[in-house]
Amino acid sequence: MTRISSLDRFDRKLLSLVQHDADMATETLAEQVGLSASAVLRRLKRLKADRVILANVAVIDPLRVGKPTFFVVALEIERERPELIARLRQWLNADPHVQEVFYVTGSADFILIVAAPDVESYDALMSRLIAENPNVRRFTTNVALGVGKRSLAIPIEV
């Protein structure tokens, strides 16, 4: 696995740029990074092969696709047995409404970011979660009243 320490300044600059615009033309990237276009393509290919770049995705404006409601969920489990946690993670990863899953310290065991069309859909999801995962003890929900920032960009020092 490639670590940040094995990335040179060109790699870090490329990663910083493509996080904010993965559609940027190779020539533009090359100009901003200070390499040739072919060198940029080789580096991007290597960063994908090394799984530093996991995916190129489109960030969708939620207001233009039905304005989903965002829920921040604190989930507590009964037992921290590896096989039970693995099963829960698999269930969470399979549901398209669950956008992010964090295994955390503190009073909760997991923090989830869920996007659902409405409260009824969210309630149905959580009912299925409890029914299909007996290791879930309880959950608490915060409803996002507004979204000030959404990003998956990782700060990279260049």
Side-chain angles (χ1 to χ4, degrees), residues 73-81 84 88 106-110 126 129-140:
V73 183
L75 193 69
E76 295 177 40
I77 58 176
E78 291 286 344
R79 294 171 301 282
E80 294 202 37
R81 291 186 10 218
L84 296 175
L88 175 60
S107 60
D109 298 298
F110 290 90
M126 298 313 284
L129 171 71
I130 296 295
E132 297 174 15
N133 293 280
N135 193 37
V136 173
R137 176 185 304 153
R138 79 177 127 250
F139 64 91
T140 57

Side-chain angles (χ1 to χ4, degrees), residues 4 7-20 32-33 154-158:
I4 194 71
L7 301 173
D8 65 19
R9 67 183 176 93
F10 298 112
D11 290 334
R12 291 191 305 273
K13 180 68 175 176
L14 270 174
L15 290 170
S16 182
L17 291 168
V18 298
Q19 281 190 99
H20 298 285
Q32 291 191 27
V33 172
I154 304 296
I156 299 174
E157 285 197 33
V158 283

Side-chain angles (χ1 to χ4, degrees), residues 15-35:
L15 290 170
S16 182
L17 291 168
V18 298
Q19 281 190 99
H20 298 285
D21 184 0
D23 286 336
M24 191 179 298
T26 306
E27 293 76 18
T28 305
L29 287 169
E31 184 178 300
Q32 291 191 27
V33 172
L35 293 171

Side-chain angles (χ1 to χ4, degrees), residues 8-155:
D8 65 19
R9 67 183 176 93
F10 298 112
D11 290 334
R12 291 191 305 273
K13 180 68 175 176
L14 270 174
L15 290 170
S16 182
L17 291 168
V18 298
Q19 281 190 99
H20 298 285
D21 184 0
D23 286 336
M24 191 179 298
T26 306
E27 293 76 18
T28 305
L29 287 169
E31 184 178 300
Q32 291 191 27
V33 172
L35 293 171
S36 68
S38 60
V40 164
L41 285 173
R42 280 192 304 275
R43 284 173 180 269
L44 289 173
K45 185 176 180 179
R46 178 181 45 81
L47 291 166
K48 289 176 184 174
D50 289 348
R51 300 206 29 88
V52 175
I53 296 175
L54 298 176
N56 294 328
V57 299
V59 178
I60 306 298
D61 181 349
L63 296 175
R64 298 190 183 260
V65 293
K67 194 178 178 189
T69 303
F70 292 94
F71 302 88
V72 181
V73 183
L75 193 69
E76 295 177 40
I77 58 176
E78 291 286 344
R79 294 171 301 282
E80 294 202 37
R81 291 186 10 218
E83 68 277 9
L84 296 175
I85 291 174
R87 180 176 167 213
L88 175 60
R89 284 183 172 165
Q90 183 178 20
W91 193 97
L92 294 168
N93 288 337
D95 192 283
H97 294 96
V98 179
Q99 292 191 323
E100 297 182 69
V101 177
F102 298 94
Y103 187 43
V104 298
T105 61
S107 60
D109 298 298
F110 290 90
I111 298 293
L112 315 176
I113 306 299
V114 177
D118 50 45
V119 173
E120 292 78 17
S121 298
Y122 170 75
D123 188 46
L125 169 71
M126 298 313 284
S127 293
R128 281 195 333 275
L129 171 71
I130 296 295
E132 297 174 15
N133 293 280
N135 193 37
V136 173
R137 176 185 304 153
R138 79 177 127 250
F139 64 91
T140 57
T141 304
N142 291 291
V143 179
L145 299 176
V147 179
K149 177 181 179 181
R150 290 183 66 216
S151 173
L152 292 178
I154 304 296

